[in-house]
Amino acid sequence: MNLLLDFLFLYQVVILWYFALLNLFYALFAFFGLGMVARYARELSELSLKDLLEREAYLPVSILVPTYNEEKTIAHSVRSFLSLHYPEFEVIVVADGPKDRTLEVLKEAFRLVEVEWVYRRALPTKPVRAVYRSLVYPNLIVVDKENGGKADALNAGLNLARYPLFCAVDADSLLDAQALLRASRLFLEDDRVLAVGGTIRPLNGAVVREGVVEALHLPRGFLEKMQIVEYARAFFMGRAGWSAMGALLIISGAFGLFRREEALRVGGYRTDTVGEDMELVVRLHRRAREEGREYRIVYTPDPICYTEVPADWATLRKQRNRWHRGLWEVLWNHRVMLFNPRYGRLGLLAMPYFVLFEALAPVVEVLGYVLFPVFYLLGLFNAEFAFLFFLLAVAYGVLLSQLAVGMETLLLKRYPRLRDRLALLLLAILEGLGYRQILAWERFLATFQVWRKRGVWGEMRRKGLEST
């Protein structure tokens, strides 16, 4: 009995230290994130995008769009990509063996004709069945290939890409018209930049016409609204903080800009993981560190990519399960970097953080809920301390969410209607009362499904842009 009591006491001490360290990191992320977004909002008015467009110095971009069963959104998305304000770019849509009418929709919408396309097969992929070109848009190419998964489709697109930069985007996404212009300027300003990540915003509730987001309004669904708060916190604090510290490990698969040559040097996207976006970024870090090169992988508050987020619990849980399994796969594949001084702040700070405070966080949280009644039955439950601890945790989480939402609505002015801003602030308070716990449980389950469901994506339900 004494041994059990000693263990439970030690567990409480560890949890207190865990909580203290985690919130120290959150404070750093908030500091760096607020500074970055404030600087960006201040400098944005001074940045003349027109001058950038008129410059002769620019890097052409290949936009890679892997698609599977996306018949509801693909035409709108492709029109969005084709309407970007950029001097020279191509759009390569890779139809990865879809089972619905995705390919037929593309043929009808863009008048595709089959062509003989000669290219170097730098990366191995599933067989390409046909290559099509649009009679309406000369810079639109559509690839029909056997199903091999998202990473395989991206590698097929990389093989066909002709330009020095490539932009990987999801087929259910829309890009801001100036997205490429804002992101690519970082490559021109600094030759050391290998990759740039932008901000992802939920598309649900937006007013969309001809593939262009004209206005942002809050969606009707509770889950969709909650994800706006989540995304704001993840990007304006997490990504901004890690970028400021030179240790950004994640660039979202929904939008990222990379140097094509660097991606080919490290072997393109890995096809044996569902976290292929994070894995490529970590591999770029690792190769550059091992070669002793100076480099940068950065996040910028813009450009903006709008993506459809899950509107029902089943799809949301599948998505978060896949994300968490992907995180574990990447950490395991690059475990040699963990606590390794050879990789600098990546090995000594970023990798340990993602293991302790991202991958293991749902385990710690769920165990806390499970042990709660145990402490009570053994008489180790201090009601006053537990209440204050819970109040502090919730209040701190609300503060971080409020800061993120404030950056989203006030500094960047994404949601102009006052009622939308007030609703987001209220949702930031409600997030920790049920919503967070359900997703923590799903991530807890994912932790023990990593090897059994390795590489398993699962079907994602889409409502489509017709409803926006």
Side-chain angles (χ1 to χ4, degrees):
M1 186 64 179
N2 289 334
L3 187 61
L4 176 61
L5 293 175
D6 290 341
F7 169 77
L8 292 175
F9 176 77
L10 178 62
Y11 174 80
Q12 293 180 75
V13 173
V14 170
I15 291 300
L16 284 173
W17 276 104
Y18 183 92
F19 178 78
L21 285 173
L22 177 61
N23 285 283
L24 175 62
F25 274 108
Y26 285 163
L28 288 174
F29 295 155
F31 173 78
F32 285 121
L34 187 60
M36 172 181 284
V37 175
R39 283 194 307 273
Y40 180 84
R42 184 175 63 251
E43 295 168 0
L44 183 61
S45 60
E46 302 169 7
L47 177 64
S48 173
L49 294 175
K50 182 179 177 181
D51 289 345
L52 286 176
L53 272 172
E54 293 174 352
R55 277 197 212 170
E56 293 185 1
Y58 62 87
L59 293 173
V61 178
S62 298
I63 301 174
L64 309 185
V65 190
T67 180
Y68 182 51
N69 293 336
E70 303 285 356
E71 63 180 357
K72 292 183 178 180
T73 62
I74 191 63
H76 290 280
S77 297
V78 172
R79 287 193 184 97
S80 165
F81 305 144
L82 290 169
S83 63
L84 294 173
H85 298 170
Y86 200 74
E88 187 176 0
F89 67 95
E90 63 181 355
V91 178
I92 302 176
V93 181
V94 184
D96 190 44
K99 297 177 181 177
D100 65 357
R101 296 188 67 255
T102 297
L103 191 58
E104 286 71 21
V105 168
L106 288 167
K107 289 179 179 179
E108 294 166 4
F110 302 103
R111 295 179 61 193
L112 301 181
V113 293
E114 189 172 350
V115 295
E116 292 292 331
W117 197 270
V118 179
Y119 63 95
R120 186 170 69 91
R121 196 166 177 263
L123 302 171
T125 67
K126 294 288 185 179
V128 172
R129 295 187 287 227
V131 178
Y132 300 89
R133 195 159 197 169
S134 171
L135 295 175
V136 183
Y137 301 95
N139 60 335
L140 173 61
I141 300 163
V142 175
V143 181
D144 178 25
K145 63 178 287 291
E146 292 183 10
N147 181 262
K150 182 180 177 181
D152 190 75
L154 284 167
N155 285 338
L158 271 173
N159 284 339
L160 274 79
R162 296 176 297 161
Y163 295 144
L165 299 183
F166 78 89
C167 176
V169 296
D170 282 349
D172 61 341
S173 301
L174 301 179
L175 292 182
D176 181 85
Q178 298 161 344
L180 288 185
L181 195 61
R182 297 177 190 274
S184 63
R185 68 185 177 88
L186 298 175
F187 291 90
L188 287 171
E189 293 169 358
D190 192 342
D191 290 337
R192 298 173 300 168
V193 174
L194 304 184
V196 173
T199 300
I200 312 299
R201 301 306 303 128
L203 177 63
N204 310 48
V207 177
V208 180
R209 288 189 177 89
E210 294 299 320
V212 177
V213 176
E214 294 191 345
L216 280 180
H217 301 313
L218 286 188
R220 294 180 181 178
F222 171 76
L223 291 183
E224 298 158 287
K225 292 176 183 175
M226 292 304 301
Q227 289 170 83
I228 292 175
V229 177
E230 275 191 297
Y231 276 55
R233 187 174 59 247
F235 283 92
F236 298 139
M237 292 195 175
R239 308 285 170 90
W242 285 118
S243 179
M245 290 186 277
L248 180 66
L249 295 186
I250 300 178
I251 289 178
S252 174
F255 179 85
L257 200 60
F258 300 81
R259 291 193 188 272
R260 178 174 178 267
E261 180 184 354
E262 294 293 335
L264 292 177
R265 283 183 71 239
V266 299
Y269 288 89
R270 284 188 63 155
T271 58
D272 60 348
T273 176
V274 293
E276 80 292 327
D277 46 3
M278 179 182 180
E279 199 283 327
L280 176 62
V281 175
V282 174
R283 196 150 26 100
L284 287 170
H285 273 296
R286 182 174 173 180
R287 174 66 70 88
R289 288 277 180 173
E290 290 172 350
E291 293 176 349
R293 289 189 294 146
E294 288 191 14
Y295 73 99
R296 293 179 64 210
I297 294 177
V298 297
Y299 161 80
T300 177
D302 261 347
I304 293 298
C305 172
Y306 302 94
T307 190
E308 183 182 352
V309 298
D312 61 274
W313 276 113
T315 306
L316 179 61
R317 291 178 62 183
K318 285 181 183 178
Q319 182 195 64
R320 300 312 167 86
N321 185 292
R322 186 183 76 244
W323 286 1
H324 204 69
R325 286 186 287 112
L327 172 62
W328 272 113
E329 289 172 359
V330 172
L331 294 174
W332 176 256
N333 289 334
H334 296 280
R335 59 192 180 278
V336 68
M337 299 174 65
L338 189 62
F339 297 112
N340 191 334
R342 179 184 184 184
Y343 299 98
R345 67 194 70 181
L346 298 169
L348 299 177
L349 184 64
M351 291 291 284
Y353 172 88
F354 274 89
V355 171
L356 294 173
F357 301 116
E358 292 289 345
L360 288 174
V363 177
V364 173
E365 186 171 350
V366 171
L367 282 179
Y369 300 139
V370 171
L371 288 175
F372 183 83
V374 175
F375 287 122
Y376 179 79
L377 292 174
L378 292 176
L380 299 176
F381 179 71
N382 185 317
E384 183 179 356
F385 176 80
F387 175 75
L388 291 175
F389 185 85
F390 175 77
L391 192 63
L392 176 62
V394 172
Y396 195 72
V398 168
L399 174 63
L400 295 174
S401 296
Q402 296 280 14
L403 282 174
V405 170
M407 288 186 241
E408 173 78 17
T409 59
L410 299 177
L411 288 177
L412 299 177
K413 298 180 176 60
R414 295 274 153 70
Y415 291 90
R417 298 194 303 184
L418 179 60
R419 65 179 182 181
D420 286 349
R421 297 182 183 183
L422 294 176
L424 286 174
L425 294 175
L426 176 62
L427 288 167
I429 298 174
L430 298 177
E431 185 187 14
L433 304 176
Y435 177 84
R436 173 192 173 96
Q437 286 74 23
I438 292 174
L439 295 186
W441 173 250
E442 190 60 44
R443 293 166 62 209
F444 174 83
L445 295 177
T447 300
F448 301 97
Q449 297 171 345
V450 174
W451 301 114
R452 181 170 61 86
K453 299 177 68 174
R454 188 174 179 85
V456 176
W457 270 72
E459 294 288 338
M460 295 290 111
R461 289 181 56 192
R462 307 290 189 195
K463 290 200 303 184
L465 295 184
E466 292 85 355
S467 60
T468 61

